[in-house]
Amino acid sequence: MDKTKKYMPWKRAMSLCMVMIASVGFAVAGCSSSSAQTPSPSSAQPLDEPNTPSQAAPKKEELILAVGKTDTGVFDPKKGWGTHAQIRLTHSSLLRIDSDMNFVPDLAKSYEVSEDALTWTFPLRDDVKFSDGNPVTAEDVKFTYEMLKEDGVKFDLSFMQSIDAKDKSTIVITLKEPRSTFVSQLTEIGIVPKDLYDDNYSNNPVGSGPYKVIQYNDGQQIIMEYNEYWYGTVPQFKRLTLLLLAEDAALAAAKAGEADIVYVPPTFADQNIEGMTLLNFESIDSRGISMPTQRSGGKGKINENDVNVGNDVTSDLAIRKALSAGLSRDSIIDIALDGYGQKAFSLCDYLPWFNTETVIQDGNIEEAKRILAEGGWVDTDNDGVVEKDGLKAEFNLLFSSSDQLRSDMSLAAADLAQAFGIKINAIGMTWDEIYVKGKENAVMWGGGRHHPHQLYTMYHSSVINRGYENLTHYTNPIVDEYLDKAMQAPTQDEANKYWKLAQWDGQTGFGTLGDIPIIWLARVDHLYLANEKLDVGKQPIHSHGHEWALFGNITEWTWAD
Amino acid sequence: MAKTILIRIVRMVTLIIGLSILTFWLIHISPMDPVNAYVGGDSSASPEQIEKIREYWGIDKSPAEQYFSWARSLLQGNFGISKLYRSPVISIIKSRAMTSFALMGTAWVLSGSLGYLLGVVSAMNRGKPLDKVIKWYSYTLVSTPIFWLGLILLIVFAVWLRWFPVGLAAPAGVLDSEVLFIDRVRHFVLPALTLSILGVANIAMHTREKMIDILNTEYVLFAKARGESKWQIFINHGFRNSIIPAISLQFAYFGELFGGSVLAEQVFAYPGLGSTLTTAGLKGDIPLLMGIILISSLFVFMGNFIADILNMVVDPRIKGDG
């Protein structure tokens, strides 16, 4: 009895202390905003939102998104705004890409390419205005392109001869050489106002997109509001807040109910958050193994460095064919991407310029063995690795050691290739080392864009020794001819025809049925955790760079109440 | 006194020159090619474009030339233009420094006063349960990585209890003009707390040792014999003798404080100098990296400098002439 009494004051002090701590906590939370009461389970409204409409409001008009960081180059094309499809919220461009990957009019009413594919003419819409109410004219377009060409750092327009405003609403662009892939840049370059543009444009970004930037807090958030001069479909959401958070912080924000949609890497995809679902979008962000196609002993350049070229094992067609048929792309995707990926057979799977004939049955070990035996590769000394004329089927596969995905994929491929007698030594190093050794060894390579230009730079023989283009030194005159014709084509349909023929024309090509200088393996899915009420419409196949790939169709997004 | 200060300033200038040369040299011998870091592994940049980038970054010149042109413009007060952000380095640093310094300042004051208090209490109660608890607390914290502690606080207070936001320095979707002071405080609490908690351990343990030394001296024994109470002993003998080492230690702690803020800012997506430093380093943005390194080394140097001066002022024995 005495004992309990003695301890009473201590206990009382303790509980008093606890109450005080708790009340301070609640006081801090309570002061911040009106909506900081305990959230009811049905409403997933962010805690931090004094401006969210009350439950009675008919439609949700604000979205909070955390889809990645964008530390650099905000809102200014000269600083790189647009290189990763960022512009759709804030700017408009001559053309845009629709959900089915067609190039459709935006600022330009249509476009016309001359017979020699050198002159491109664009009649412009005359009802488009910047968010400050001034009209978008041909002069603004001319100014934007000339400014970017002169700068030359973020956008490569060096092939452009001239750009002229024929009249107030017609733009004529003349090229130095035919380039059908120019069409993609027309979708990436956001038009800026000539009269307002200066070095300070980032702080005062006036564009003609559906939203205007009303506040940008460096490294924290971007707040955008509907642009009343927008000429397209009126979006449901009148205000967007983009949180510039890294992946872990974005996941925490989703868990705390502070964001409506967040980007997640595959490792976070199995996280269960109440009220949120996983959205999974196919992308064209592809990874594959580049295989030197020349025999060893050659010399060449990567980025102006003198390097050795060629590898006796990878230059044998049977080896490349066996790997393409024998490696199970699904297994690699399961190991490296937790299953969140798609098989890749080319650099352009299921885009309008993809040759569907090149889809093959993969993971076929018997077939791989048969191809090797036919090519003269047999395991004579029973060590599990096949040989031909005393040469073992063994090569190095280099990958960037700072890239978890490429490292996992390389190790998985090496593991799987053992089953049919090819020994791959996966070696991690820095990109700078890879750019020295990459032409005499296989490399875990990558690519994939919303345009076919990379098909030219990865497979045409004329770009050998330029930068790190055509890393495999692939040379096939027939493929070269198709690629040239594709570049010179005046219409996209005709260009697509030749892009497809270059992959496989029935006899040859760089695709899986032909020479396969690069064995494409997987496409990375883009994953988002989104509030289940949010509908992001029909998304096109995503391009490289996940942050802004989502916003191409922002005006179609809806919220189910 | 004036002489000592002058020597210190000369030392500071040489330190900065040495540091800038070292940083430049380290970046130069690192395998990182700024162009590759800039355009990424699978860019579609054309050779002409890469050539332009090289020219733009000035890496077609020799490292010595690059260094001297940088140093020359620095002497004119020009920190250069950040290659990554494409805006003046000094304006980037200005916009980010305030948040960092507010964070570090709060953590510095909190950890200093709380640490000193705990150290004194621990020493005065040496061997008793309270002392053991404080020691246990300090040892645990001193071996805790700061980002881990930050994550724990984040999970408990932001995700589970939802008392504080998960990151950033202001609430989402609210215009600057509408952000209340209390909102900023809410966003400030977790990063500042993370940074403070760790600083406490260091200062507490040092103060404890110092205080125990003092309590073992003969003048304290004499004071006890005269019948002074614990409190009187602390006020009359302990305080002045133990506060000086504590203060110099706390000023010398500037370096660790800065390092800690880099990690804390990463965890809480708090936009300060630390997170900018990381980006600049990884992307090879030399002017920005150099700018932040200079500012932070000045900051650390000033910490030590102030500690020295304070010691001289408070303790006449250090003044001397040498």
Side-chain angles (χ1 to χ4, degrees), chain A residues 28 32 48-49 71 78 150-154 156 215 217-218 220-221 239 241 245 255 432 435 446 449 466, chain B residues 31 33 36 38 41-42 46-47 49 52 84-86 96 162 169 171-173 175-176 183 186-187 269 271:
Chain A
V28 171
S32 69
D48 255 10
E49 268 298 77
D71 282 335
K78 194 160 131 186
E150 195 194 333
D151 187 57
V153 174
K154 283 297 182 180
D156 175 29
Q215 184 176 305
N217 298 110
D218 194 11
Q220 296 194 66
Q221 60 175 343
R239 184 145 156 166
T241 301
L245 297 173
K255 284 193 166 171
D432 299 285
Y435 289 147
R449 291 288 189 276
R466 275 178 36 138
Chain B
D33 178 347
N36 287 337
Y38 185 57
D42 55 346
S46 73
Q49 235 173 315
K52 280 230 175 179
L84 214 53
Y85 295 83
R86 284 198 165 197
R96 308 233 168 182
R162 299 198 177 186
L175 292 181
D176 277 343
D183 288 332
R186 276 186 72 216
H187 283 259

Side-chain angles (χ1 to χ4, degrees), chain A residues 494-508:
Chain A
E494 198 180 326
N496 290 346
K497 187 176 96 186
Y498 288 113
W499 293 124
K500 287 178 189 172
L501 284 171
Q503 290 158 58
W504 181 244
D505 68 350
Q507 308 288 327
T508 187

Side-chain angles (χ1 to χ4, degrees), chain B residues 285-302:
Chain B
D285 186 348
I286 297 173
L288 185 57
L289 193 63
M290 298 295 290
I292 298 179
I293 286 176
L294 281 192
I295 298 286
S296 55
S297 55
L298 262 181
F299 175 69
V300 174
F301 186 90
M302 284 315 284

Side-chain angles (χ1 to χ4, degrees), chain A residues 21-22 25-29 31-33 36 39 47-51 62 64 69 71-73 78-79 149-156 158 199 214-221 223 225 239 241 243-246 248-249 252-258 285-287 303-304 406 430-432 435 445-449 451 453-454 466-469 544, chain B residues 30-54 56-57 82-87 91-92 95-96 99 151 154 157-180 182-187 189 265-272 275-276 279 283:
Chain A
I21 291 174
F26 283 125
V28 171
C31 284
S32 69
S33 68
L47 281 174
D48 255 10
E49 268 298 77
N51 295 335
E62 295 192 32
I64 298 187
K69 298 188 80 129
D71 282 335
T72 55
K78 194 160 131 186
K79 298 180 182 174
K149 185 193 169 186
E150 195 194 333
D151 187 57
V153 174
K154 283 297 182 180
F155 288 95
D156 175 29
S158 53
D199 284 344
I214 52 171
Q215 184 176 305
Y216 170 59
N217 298 110
D218 194 11
Q220 296 194 66
Q221 60 175 343
I223 306 178
E225 215 169 56
R239 184 145 156 166
T241 301
L243 302 180
L244 310 177
L245 297 173
D248 314 24
K255 284 193 166 171
E258 290 182 18
D285 203 355
S286 314
R287 302 285 181 276
N303 270 352
E304 303 304 308
R406 289 184 209 233
T430 64
W431 277 116
D432 299 285
Y435 289 147
W445 205 225
R449 291 288 189 276
H451 54 78
H453 193 71
Q454 277 187 334
R466 275 178 36 138
Y468 34 84
E469 297 176 355
H544 174 81
Chain B
S30 83
M32 181 174 63
D33 178 347
V35 173
N36 287 337
Y38 185 57
V39 297
D42 55 346
S43 124
S44 45
S46 73
E48 291 84 7
Q49 235 173 315
I50 288 179
E51 204 41 54
K52 280 230 175 179
I53 297 171
R54 263 179 205 290
Y56 176 76
W57 287 62
S82 158
K83 306 299 181 208
L84 214 53
Y85 295 83
R86 284 198 165 197
S87 47
S91 71
I92 298 175
S95 79
R96 308 233 168 182
T99 45
L151 284 175
L154 186 76
F157 290 102
V159 176
W160 290 352
L161 297 174
R162 299 198 177 186
W163 287 0
F164 298 105
V166 291
L168 304 176
V174 181
L175 292 181
D176 277 343
S177 51
E178 294 166 10
V179 175
L180 304 172
I182 191 77
D183 288 332
R184 293 197 192 280
V185 172
R186 276 186 72 216
H187 283 259
V189 170
E265 284 172 20
Q266 289 288 0
V267 172
F268 292 100
Y270 200 80
S275 45
T276 317
T279 318
K283 295 277 181 181

Side-chain angles (χ1 to χ4, degrees), chain A residues 42 58-60 63 236-237 531-536 557-561:
Chain A
S42 64
K59 267 188 179 166
K60 185 175 162 75
L63 270 190
Q236 175 178 344
F237 302 104
N531 192 301
E532 19 185 61
K533 292 178 182 167
L534 180 67
D535 180 2
V536 297
W557 291 24
T558 52
W559 187 273
D561 281 306

Side-chain angles (χ1 to χ4, degrees), chain A residues 264-285:
Chain A
V264 285
T267 38
F268 291 168
D270 52 356
Q271 295 274 346
N272 261 322
I273 300 178
E274 208 190 304
M276 294 191 112
T277 49
L278 184 71
L279 300 181
N280 187 349
F281 300 112
E282 272 186 41
S283 85
I284 190 59
D285 203 355

Side-chain angles (χ1 to χ4, degrees), chain B residues 112-151:
Chain B
S113 37
L114 195 64
Y116 180 73
L117 206 69
L118 285 181
V120 169
V121 169
S122 183
M124 305 283 268
N125 295 288
R126 192 179 172 195
K128 290 180 188 158
L130 192 58
D131 178 36
K132 284 187 180 142
V133 168
I134 292 175
K135 256 164 68 182
W136 174 84
Y137 168 81
S138 301
Y139 283 132
T140 312
L141 280 184
V142 97
S143 47
T144 306
I146 191 165
F147 67 91
W148 184 80
L149 182 74
L151 284 175

